[in-house]
Amino acid sequence: IILRSMIDYRISLYQASRHRIQVHVTLPTPEDETILRIAAWRPGRYEEGNFARLISNLNVYHGSQRIPTEKISKNEWLVHTKGIDSIALSYLYYCAELTAGNTYLDEKLLLINPVNLLVYNDYCKKSEIKLTIEIPQEWSLAGLEQKPNSLAEFITLDEAFDTPILASPSIVSYSYEISDYTFYIHSVGAHGISSEQLIKDFKHFTAQQVQAFGEFPTSTFSFLLIGVQDKYLHGVEHLNNTVIVLGPTAEWKSTRYESLLAVASHELYHVWNVKTIRPLEMLPYRFEGPTYSRLGYVYEGITTFFGDYYLLTGGLITSERYLQLLEAQIQTHVDNVGRFAYSVADSSIDTWVDGYVKGTPGRKVSIYNEGCLMAFILDAKIREATKNKSTLQHLMKRLFYAFGLTQIGYTENDIKGQLQEISEIDFSTLFDQYIHAANGYESLLQEAFSFYGIELRQEVPAELHKGSLGIKILTKTEKTFIMDIASGSPADVGGLAEGDQLVSINGKEITTNLSEVLSSLKHEVLKLVILRRGENIEKTLPLVQRTFYPTMKLVMNETAEHQIKKNRQHFGI
């Protein structure tokens, strides 16, 4: 019998006012040289994390003797451990940025994401992990319900990395059950939502998803909800829980409530799709460097589609609101010229290149947005081919049992094979032309919506600067800045650029009144003054006989035939 050792990490609140945590750990060192690492990325965020920049005062000891360390890469340190069976490691970790995926500390809140906090060596991968968290007596912990007696002990390092922990003196907790599974809602921040409403609505989308798959991958699951004052939304998926940061907290019960339900539904669906059903290249996770995958449209796009869809079928949003959400996705697609430059599969790889910022204008598309639209298209094709007997959810359920529960990573060929078995359609051409090639989805979307008697229309945008000039703007402190420019538009041909501040048009000053100024100059040649790098520059825009940034509208056909009405009813519209 081989007994596995346990690695005990001790986490203390070193200086809450300055957002600093201290970590102590003793690590076995059976080799002559030991490499210490901090993860290069975290699941749920497919970009490099640069967590090493948050570590300071890293010291290594053997007994009372300090052992020198050498930084050998961005996220690695080398320690010479010949003749040394173990080392004691301590360091400070700076955690001042509160997101759902970060580690954070202040006087009232501690959020631990072990994947970006814990320095480890290869031996840790073969050991059980224990987290000892020293918090004030009046604080409580949340997120460890799946652990006996709430002990932070983990069978593997991967399990520890995938278990965020919330601590605070003001955690409010609720629970509910679906079938044999228990779900917890832990929140920090006075959101004002009644426990009855929160539980009722969370139960609705949870029940829809559990029923769709037939079972839940774990016995318990926790929603860790953190309210902030600023307008903000971020969620991160984990197998046993999710962290959601949403603000402003005061608007949770009003304008931000739908956002709360949407992100919670999205992250719950991830428990199946990517935490259990995982691409081959992500099984197991390799934290030492990037894990490239071209399948982001599956693990993020399909999740985005079903996250909203189960709000519809759960009765949490109306059919009209659901179509508005799809309109917004289509609008983003049509507005982005990057759909003709970079495929969604290539864009999946390049999340590691650009991260999640806008990046070079028109360079690529979003695995969330385009993946969601492709999921809707595939779902409609399956429903049409099978006369509504099968849906895209049948694909996900098949993947769950064939690849998720067996922990076998899937490939794109597996996806196409399962789709063909479900629908008897060969999707190879669609994948070649729209997933692996850079093309717009407009024709596919029109075809998909026609199955439900819904017309996809292009209308002239109400904002003159969009339709006539081909620009999107941002107004801030009575200043108007160009955010996006349509290719071939007057703004493009006339030499404007993203980031330019619009100062005046035909001598009329621009503050927050761009539409008002343009409406009075409809038939005039436009002479602009822009501010660029501190210099006022004059530009004359040419006249172009076309409209840019069309507004996309979904219009329900009120005289739909019987079969279309059945299609709508089966979908949930």
Side-chain angles (χ1 to χ4, degrees), residues 128-358:
E128 296 183 8
I129 304 296
K130 179 180 180 181
L131 302 184
T132 301
I133 305 169
E134 299 173 358
I135 56 174
Q137 186 174 1
E138 65 273 17
W139 286 33
S140 58
L141 292 173
L144 294 169
E145 284 74 23
Q146 75 280 9
K147 295 295 174 188
N149 303 316
S150 293
L151 292 177
E153 296 181 357
F154 306 94
I155 300 300
T156 65
L157 184 67
D158 276 5
E159 184 189 6
F161 277 2
D162 196 37
T163 307
I165 302 165
L166 181 64
S168 173
S170 58
I171 297 175
V172 178
S173 300
Y174 318 113
S175 67
Y176 60 93
E177 293 186 357
I178 301 293
S179 300
D180 296 327
Y181 313 108
T182 303
F183 297 84
Y184 298 88
I185 304 172
H186 303 290
S187 67
V188 176
H191 51 70
I193 306 170
S194 70
S195 59
E196 292 80 7
Q197 181 180 359
L198 205 60
I199 292 171
K200 175 177 69 72
D201 291 345
F202 271 57
K203 283 185 74 172
H204 277 310
F205 69 74
T206 304
Q208 290 288 308
Q209 295 188 23
V210 172
Q211 181 181 7
F213 279 100
E215 62 180 279
F216 195 65
T218 65
S219 59
T220 66
F221 184 84
S222 302
F223 296 92
L224 306 180
L225 311 181
I226 302 172
V228 294
Q229 298 305 310
D230 298 328
K231 187 171 183 179
Y232 186 78
L233 175 61
H234 185 213
V236 177
E237 68 272 12
H238 302 276
L239 183 63
N240 292 292
N241 59 35
T242 179
V243 181
I244 296 171
V245 180
L246 177 66
T249 315
E251 297 179 10
W252 277 27
K253 62 180 179 180
S254 55
T255 56
R256 300 293 276 169
Y257 190 57
E258 182 187 288
S259 297
L260 173 62
L261 296 178
V263 70
S265 179
H266 177 105
E267 303 304 341
L268 182 66
Y269 198 87
H270 266 313
V271 178
W272 290 276
N273 190 19
V274 91
K275 299 313 303 180
T276 307
I277 309 164
R278 202 179 298 176
L280 180 62
E281 52 270 32
M282 291 186 183
L283 197 68
Y285 287 133
R286 290 171 286 279
F287 296 105
E288 286 72 34
T291 303
Y292 299 107
S293 173
R294 294 174 63 81
L295 296 169
Y297 64 90
V298 178
Y299 52 78
E300 289 296 354
I302 289 179
T303 299
T304 300
F305 170 70
F306 279 117
D308 289 342
Y309 178 72
Y310 287 120
L311 296 185
L312 171 68
T313 60
L316 299 173
I317 58 175
T318 65
S319 298
E320 291 75 17
R321 179 57 183 155
Y322 179 73
L323 292 180
Q324 288 175 359
L325 295 175
L326 281 178
E327 275 182 352
Q329 299 275 14
I330 297 167
Q331 191 69 60
T332 298
H333 176 74
V334 172
D335 285 354
N336 184 9
V337 71
R339 70 192 190 280
F340 300 120
Y342 224 43
S343 72
V344 68
D346 287 340
S347 296
S348 181
I349 296 290
D350 270 20
T351 59
W352 294 94
V353 176
D354 294 308
Y356 289 69
V357 297
K358 180 181 177 182

Side-chain angles (χ1 to χ4, degrees), residues 258-466:
E258 182 187 288
S259 297
L260 173 62
L261 296 178
V263 70
S265 179
H266 177 105
E267 303 304 341
L268 182 66
Y269 198 87
H270 266 313
V271 178
W272 290 276
N273 190 19
V274 91
K275 299 313 303 180
T276 307
I277 309 164
R278 202 179 298 176
L280 180 62
E281 52 270 32
M282 291 186 183
L283 197 68
Y285 287 133
R286 290 171 286 279
F287 296 105
E288 286 72 34
T291 303
Y292 299 107
S293 173
R294 294 174 63 81
L295 296 169
Y297 64 90
V298 178
Y299 52 78
E300 289 296 354
I302 289 179
T303 299
T304 300
F305 170 70
F306 279 117
D308 289 342
Y309 178 72
Y310 287 120
L311 296 185
L312 171 68
T313 60
L316 299 173
I317 58 175
T318 65
S319 298
E320 291 75 17
R321 179 57 183 155
Y322 179 73
L323 292 180
Q324 288 175 359
L325 295 175
L326 281 178
E327 275 182 352
Q329 299 275 14
I330 297 167
Q331 191 69 60
T332 298
H333 176 74
V334 172
D335 285 354
N336 184 9
V337 71
R339 70 192 190 280
F340 300 120
Y342 224 43
S343 72
V344 68
D346 287 340
S347 296
S348 181
I349 296 290
D350 270 20
T351 59
W352 294 94
V353 176
D354 294 308
Y356 289 69
V357 297
K358 180 181 177 182
T360 301
R363 193 178 82 83
K364 64 182 177 68
V365 295
S366 164
I367 58 176
Y368 297 81
N369 192 83
E370 272 63 27
C372 173
L373 294 178
M374 184 52 64
F376 179 81
I377 291 164
L378 292 173
D379 183 66
K381 287 185 175 295
I382 294 169
R383 290 172 184 268
E384 184 174 16
T386 63
K387 294 181 171 51
N388 288 313
K389 293 179 181 178
S390 294
T391 69
L392 187 65
Q393 180 57 39
H394 289 91
L395 165 71
M396 299 310 296
K397 187 173 182 179
R398 279 171 166 246
L399 293 178
F400 174 58
Y401 284 100
F403 297 93
L405 293 181
T406 57
Q407 285 296 280
I408 300 172
Y410 68 85
T411 67
E412 188 173 78
N413 284 334
D414 295 319
I415 297 284
K416 290 192 288 187
Q418 293 284 347
L419 282 171
Q420 186 163 357
E421 286 187 22
I422 292 169
S423 65
E424 296 185 357
I425 297 175
D426 183 354
F427 283 92
S428 297
T429 300
L430 184 146
F431 273 66
D432 290 343
Q433 293 182 354
Y434 293 98
I435 292 177
H436 294 290
N439 280 305
Y441 294 173
E442 290 89 328
S443 61
L444 291 179
L445 287 167
Q446 288 172 343
E447 180 183 339
F449 281 110
S450 68
F451 182 66
Y452 304 104
I454 299 173
E455 182 183 354
L456 176 60
R457 294 180 182 173
Q458 293 190 8
E459 299 180 355
V460 175
E463 304 95 331
L464 289 174
H465 58 272
K466 283 186 179 180

